[in-house]
Amino acid sequence: MPCSRTALYRRRRRDGTVACVSSPAAPAPSAPSRTVRASAPWTGLALALGVAVAAMLLAPLLPGISALVVAIVVGVMVGNLVPLPRALAPGLGIASKKLLRLGIVLLGLQVALGDLLSLGAGMLLVVVAVVTLGILGTVALGRALGVDRRLTILVACGFSICGAAAVAATAGVIDPEDRHEDRTVTAVALVVLCGTLMIIAVPAASAAMGLDATTAGLWAGASIHEVAQVVAAGGALGTAALTVAVIVKLARVLMLAPVMAVLSLQQRRAGAADGKRPPLVPLFVLGFLAMVVLRSGLPLPAPLLGGASLLQTLLLAAAMFALGTGVRARLLMQVGLRPFALAAMSTLLVAGVGLGGVLLAS
């Protein structure tokens, strides 16, 4: 008797007869697990925040160097010397984007409109001129030198507004996918280099020109890049100079909102062709303005403002560390001398506009 088609092979019995045997049923393939867990972000976030705390503790020992700068330097070192586990990536991504924006929002609590108005219309116009001419002039210089357009914009905003925080905010608008983190770190490095030199140069030049303490303080606030650098230079000039220097610097910080709005509009127009339309005004810019209004309209207690300032520094430092881990040193070494020339020229431009404006306003 022939075997049926379902029998896969024959087996001969001991008595000589043939048995038709089907293969045993194969086990059903197990269904793929639907609970594939993504790496939890907590480890990466904890690392970024831990480094930020360490940077905040170390920064006071380094005059003129902010915790943000310390954090991004540590991030670059870690990213190039230590193989980071993939499990850290989700948390570092959150730190470099969401914590950055939250930190910029809290930065608004440092700005009180009443303090800024006390400068007078003349100095407020000087601040607008420093930021506007600084950005436009630096962009023109970058184009003439052949420096990468994105790097030029980062340098322009960082040098004209408020240093590393402005660089990071600008990167979040013109490069929201973090495809060019090396440019962000390069711009921050240039802020550190040139701003640190300005801590020494502004007091020395003020003494050589015979400027009084108030005028020197106004110039320091109008020309030096980082808030921490302004504090260092203002402290060297005296208490009166320090007070006005910080107020002028915070007026420049307020310019972060309109500049980011303009950059966002440009990105919106550029993205219209390929269907990508970023928000008309970034949400973190609206939050920044809301914090400015809150600080200006309500008598917030000093402990609350102090705590908000510490939290803002913590968030921004964590974001800087996360950005730094994604940068490769070999790429930074390939930027050449042109960005350094651009940084030097931008520094002289901002300082020149600031000095001329302060002398006219005084």
Side-chain angles (χ1 to χ4, degrees):
M1 179 178 177
C3 294
S4 66
R5 293 182 180 179
T6 58
L8 297 185
Y9 63 93
R10 298 181 181 184
R11 187 177 65 187
R12 186 175 297 277
R13 298 190 181 97
R14 291 181 179 180
D15 59 1
T17 59
V18 175
C20 299
V21 181
S22 299
S23 65
S30 58
S33 173
R34 298 182 180 180
T35 58
V36 177
R37 295 177 57 188
S39 299
W42 311 118
T43 51
L45 279 173
L47 176 62
L49 292 171
V51 172
V53 170
M56 292 171 67
L57 295 174
L58 182 60
L61 305 177
L62 306 170
I65 304 298
S66 68
L68 280 63
V69 173
V70 174
I72 200 166
V73 170
V74 173
V76 173
M77 293 176 62
V78 170
N80 286 273
L81 299 177
V82 180
L84 293 175
R86 288 187 178 182
L88 298 176
L92 293 177
I94 292 174
S96 66
K97 296 180 179 65
K98 295 184 179 180
L99 295 192
L100 170 65
R101 287 159 175 76
L102 287 175
I104 293 173
V105 168
L106 291 177
L107 185 62
L109 285 176
Q110 293 190 18
V111 183
L113 294 178
D115 293 339
L116 306 188
L117 294 176
S118 68
L119 294 172
M123 272 308 302
L124 292 178
L125 288 176
V126 171
V127 168
V128 174
V130 166
V131 173
T132 303
L133 296 178
I135 291 175
L136 295 179
T138 302
V139 169
L141 289 169
R143 187 179 298 116
L145 291 171
V147 178
D148 175 82
R149 176 180 171 274
R150 287 187 178 87
L151 177 58
T152 297
I153 294 175
L154 294 176
V155 170
C157 293
F159 283 43
S160 302
I161 305 175
C162 57
V167 169
T170 304
V173 173
I174 68 173
D175 186 24
E177 301 300 325
D178 295 332
R179 293 169 295 181
H180 306 283
E181 290 181 351
D182 56 312
R183 292 171 175 81
T184 302
V185 177
T186 300
V188 172
L190 294 173
V191 163
V192 175
L193 175 62
C194 295
T196 301
L197 293 176
M198 288 289 282
I199 296 173
I200 303 170
V202 168
S206 299
M209 291 185 289
L211 301 180
D212 60 81
T214 299
T215 303
L218 293 172
W219 183 30
S223 59
I224 299 178
H225 313 325
E226 279 270 339
V227 175
Q229 294 163 352
V230 170
V231 171
L237 291 166
T239 304
L242 175 60
T243 301
V244 295
V246 171
I247 294 175
V248 172
K249 183 60 185 177
L250 292 179
R252 289 170 66 192
V253 172
L254 183 60
M255 291 294 293
L256 183 69
V259 171
M260 293 304 104
V262 170
L263 288 177
S264 181
L265 283 173
Q266 291 179 343
Q267 290 295 110
R268 187 178 175 88
R269 291 172 182 171
D274 55 12
K276 298 179 181 179
R277 295 176 65 86
L280 188 62
V281 179
L283 186 60
F284 72 89
V285 173
L286 295 178
F288 172 84
L289 290 174
M291 292 298 103
V292 173
V293 172
L294 181 64
R295 168 70 190 274
S296 304
L298 295 177
L300 300 177
L304 176 61
L305 292 175
S309 178
L310 288 176
L311 179 59
Q312 164 237 313
T313 303
L314 176 69
L315 295 174
L316 290 179
M320 289 294 164
F321 170 76
L323 287 171
T325 59
V327 177
R328 296 297 168 258
R330 71 178 188 277
L331 298 178
L332 292 179
M333 297 173 65
Q334 297 172 0
V335 298
L337 295 177
R338 292 182 182 181
F340 291 91
L342 174 64
M345 293 180 183
S346 179
T347 298
L348 292 175
L349 173 63
V350 171
V353 174
L355 178 60
V358 166
L359 293 177
L360 288 174
S362 300

